[in-house]
Amino acid sequence: MDARMGQRSTTRVNAIDSFSEPLDRLHAALDASCVVGTWDWDVARRTMVYDLGAARLLTGDASLAEQEITGLDIIAAVHPADHAWLIKHTQEAVRAGGLMLAEYRVIDADGQVHWLLSRGRTYHDATGQPVRSRGIIIDITELRGDGERYVVTSSSSSDPDMLERAADHAMELKRMLTVDAPADVRAATDLLLLAIGRALVTSEFEPGH
């Protein structure tokens, strides 16, 4: 019996090792890419909270992740030529409510320009005032052509589609996970967000959108 228990224990350890290997690669890929991020904007208080990916992409400072930030720190890494455009149209979209889309440029620490697609939704209170916006950003540099960029807009429907609902749930799951959560669980959540984000981007680039 001891031999059988030892064999089962060895098998279990081998299974865990084989499971950990792809997760190690996942961690490395996510750390290297940072092509996806989430943002949560408290409109009434004028504060923004980014996850790690969004903080790196939009502020250039990973240490600002999961902190409330305000003012121009929110878009510190955004291309200077896009600052005024982004602020103006974001304000218009927040007032209108519903779906928001925006394409804009950021400059990374090496001086390289990247194109981002931000996709989110604004929620209003009972009086019709905007109170919160939440969304996801994706680096679309490799996908983007030479056509016109999206402007921030609002949808004609107040009902989010399947992918938007999935993104909302994934972002809520990410917010629930603290730094004490298992690293593999947090990495899997990031992978889920990455997959949903890429699907959202794909849907935006399909004909008819």
Side-chain angles (χ1 to χ4, degrees):
M1 181 174 294
D2 291 341
R4 288 196 299 271
M5 290 179 62
Q7 183 177 7
R8 286 198 296 270
S9 178
T10 301
T11 301
R12 183 179 180 184
V13 169
N14 290 340
I16 292 174
D17 288 343
S18 63
F19 181 67
S20 297
E21 184 177 347
L23 284 172
D24 289 340
R25 292 198 298 269
L26 169 60
H27 284 299
L30 289 170
D31 288 342
S33 63
C34 284
V35 295
V36 63
T38 63
W39 51 269
D40 190 335
W41 183 17
D42 187 326
V43 179
R45 297 176 56 236
R46 300 177 181 270
T47 60
M48 181 75 78
V49 176
Y50 291 138
D51 71 353
L52 180 60
R56 286 178 177 173
L57 288 168
L58 291 168
T59 73
D61 186 353
S63 70
L64 294 177
E66 309 303 338
Q67 299 184 36
E68 289 189 346
I69 55 178
T70 59
L72 291 179
D73 287 342
I74 293 173
I75 55 172
V78 171
H79 195 293
D82 288 351
H83 272 200
W85 175 89
L86 185 60
I87 292 171
K88 175 179 181 291
H89 289 287
T90 298
Q91 290 172 342
E92 292 175 354
V94 167
R95 285 194 294 268
L99 177 66
M100 298 193 303
L101 288 174
E103 283 187 31
Y104 50 91
R105 294 164 292 177
V106 294
I107 303 175
D108 68 17
D110 296 325
Q112 300 296 312
V113 175
H114 295 260
W115 279 94
L116 303 184
L117 175 67
S118 180
R119 195 179 200 278
R121 186 170 287 272
T122 298
Y123 301 90
H124 289 192
D125 62 17
T127 66
Q129 295 299 310
V131 292
R132 185 172 295 274
S133 292
R134 292 173 176 169
I136 189 169
I137 58 170
I138 307 290
D139 188 327
I140 59 169
T141 305
E142 294 184 0
L143 296 174
R144 197 179 187 281
D146 296 326
E148 293 295 323
R149 67 180 173 186
Y150 283 106
V151 295
V152 183
T153 184
S154 61
S155 65
S156 58
S157 171
S158 61
D159 297 325
D161 62 19
M162 176 187 66
L163 284 174
E164 287 182 71
R165 291 196 299 271
D168 285 342
H169 288 307
M171 286 187 286
E172 186 62 32
L173 174 60
K174 186 176 179 68
R175 281 190 291 270
M176 290 171 57
L177 297 175
T178 66
V179 293
D180 297 327
D184 293 344
V185 174
R186 287 186 279 113
T189 303
D190 286 340
L191 181 62
L192 175 61
L193 273 169
L194 178 60
I196 294 172
R198 284 178 171 169
L200 286 169
V201 170
T202 301
S203 70
E204 300 304 336
F205 280 90
E206 286 177 349
H209 284 73

